[in-house]
Amino acid sequence: MTLIARPLLAAAAISLGLVSLPTLAAPAMWEIRDDDSTIWLFGSFHVLPEGTAWRTGLFDRVLTEAEQVVFEADIRPAAVAQMGAEAFVRGVYVDGTMLTDRLDDAVESLLREKAAAIGLPMGSILAMRPWMATNTITIQALAAEGYRAEGVEFVLQPDLQEGRLSFLESGGQQLDVLAGAPEDEQVAMLAATLEQLEALPKLMDKMLDSWVDGTPEALGDLFLMEMGGFEEAFLDRLIYQRNRNWMVPLEAMLARDQENLVVVGAAHLIGVGSVLDLLEDAGYEVERIQ
């Protein structure tokens, strides 16, 4: 993910039940096979502290051998700029409404407190819709702890030739997850984020450790903690509906005998309803290789 991944990272559910997992100190990667073709799925962390060591010899071999490298959406500079412009159009009020007009007194008070704590001027977010304010606040809080927007995909993209890159969805589809939410759901998302903001850096550190150590089941437990205050409908749009949508291109790759490396957020590869779960249910062989 690009925009929507920044406030919400991680794993999808705690019950894995897919394959036996070797103990490996490396981010998890799986091989998916049908009768005559193979694709690889790698669980990404979308924001990383500078200098995080995560690449392995196996990952680099798969990266070299893959016909195409498939990201969730286009994160090349021109595409990111276009998405940022679209996010701005969809993320601000143009009728004089202010963010605080949509909040009750308790949430507004918490917003002012947390914005001050992370050095974010209230004036910079007053015209934002709740989803965009949530995103802005989370990015600011994580950046202060060393987490930048450049995760796995941003590390890989500059070294990939144009013809080797493809994408599972458009930036507009990603944006719809947040911008398309009803306003009461957006407000609930903002309130939950504010309540969890102080604990977020420590939680992110634990998530990162679990990702690097190759323990996605622990990542799933931490994800449940992070997402505890969010609406179930939002979680379905963020994770499970997109997992279901991605089955079409993934099965098409296998049907065309393509050998592709697919890089998606770790949230999409853990638990009931995950991409791996759906692929196994569809009859494909799923094996963790890292």
Side-chain angles (χ1 to χ4, degrees), residues 31-251:
E31 188 172 86
I32 315 301
R33 294 185 294 270
D34 62 9
D35 291 337
D36 56 4
S37 56
T38 300
I39 61 175
W40 299 276
L41 283 169
F42 180 78
S44 168
F45 214 79
H46 293 305
V47 293
L48 291 170
E50 187 175 355
T52 301
W54 59 269
R55 295 179 73 153
T56 64
L58 176 59
F59 176 86
D60 285 339
R61 285 195 296 275
V62 169
L63 179 66
T64 299
E65 294 171 5
E67 296 174 31
Q68 288 192 318
V69 180
V70 184
F71 294 157
E72 293 179 29
D74 195 345
I75 50 83
R76 291 172 295 184
V80 171
Q82 180 179 352
M83 189 175 178
E86 184 178 349
F88 182 80
V89 170
R90 299 183 65 179
V92 299
Y93 294 108
V94 294
D95 60 358
T97 299
M98 293 195 299
L99 173 62
T100 49
D101 295 335
R102 302 304 195 201
L103 310 178
D104 63 30
D105 290 345
V107 175
E108 179 181 347
S109 176
L110 189 59
L111 172 63
R112 294 183 181 278
E113 175 191 334
K114 298 300 183 182
I118 62 174
L120 182 66
M122 275 295 294
S124 67
I125 59 173
L126 277 179
M128 293 181 181
R129 296 181 186 275
W131 74 263
M132 192 171 191
T134 301
N135 199 63
T136 302
I137 289 165
T138 309
I139 292 172
Q140 177 92 352
L142 290 178
E145 300 296 326
Y147 286 88
R148 306 298 177 184
E150 290 76 25
V152 167
E153 294 84 351
F154 284 89
V155 172
L156 298 177
Q157 180 268 322
D159 295 329
L160 295 173
Q161 295 178 344
E162 191 81 8
R164 289 192 70 208
L165 264 178
S166 60
F167 312 100
L168 293 173
E169 61 192 12
S170 69
Q173 287 174 308
Q174 288 204 331
L175 194 55
D176 283 341
V177 174
L178 291 178
E183 193 161 74
D184 60 345
E185 191 178 305
Q186 294 182 35
V187 170
M189 179 171 62
L190 174 60
T193 298
L194 294 171
E195 290 168 1
Q196 299 167 7
L197 197 63
E198 186 174 346
L200 183 59
K202 185 175 181 179
L203 183 59
M204 285 291 294
D205 288 345
K206 290 181 178 180
M207 283 182 161
L208 180 62
D209 288 345
S210 295
W211 177 73
V212 170
D213 289 345
T215 54
E217 63 279 12
L219 195 58
D221 291 341
L222 293 165
F223 174 75
L224 290 181
M225 293 174 59
E226 183 193 14
M227 297 301 294
F230 288 80
E231 298 286 338
E232 187 174 331
F234 172 71
L235 182 57
D236 185 68
R237 288 198 314 278
L238 178 70
I239 302 294
Y240 302 111
Q241 182 58 58
R242 296 170 71 218
N243 292 349
R244 296 188 288 271
N245 292 344
W246 294 346
M247 283 294 291
V248 174
L250 291 174
E251 290 194 283

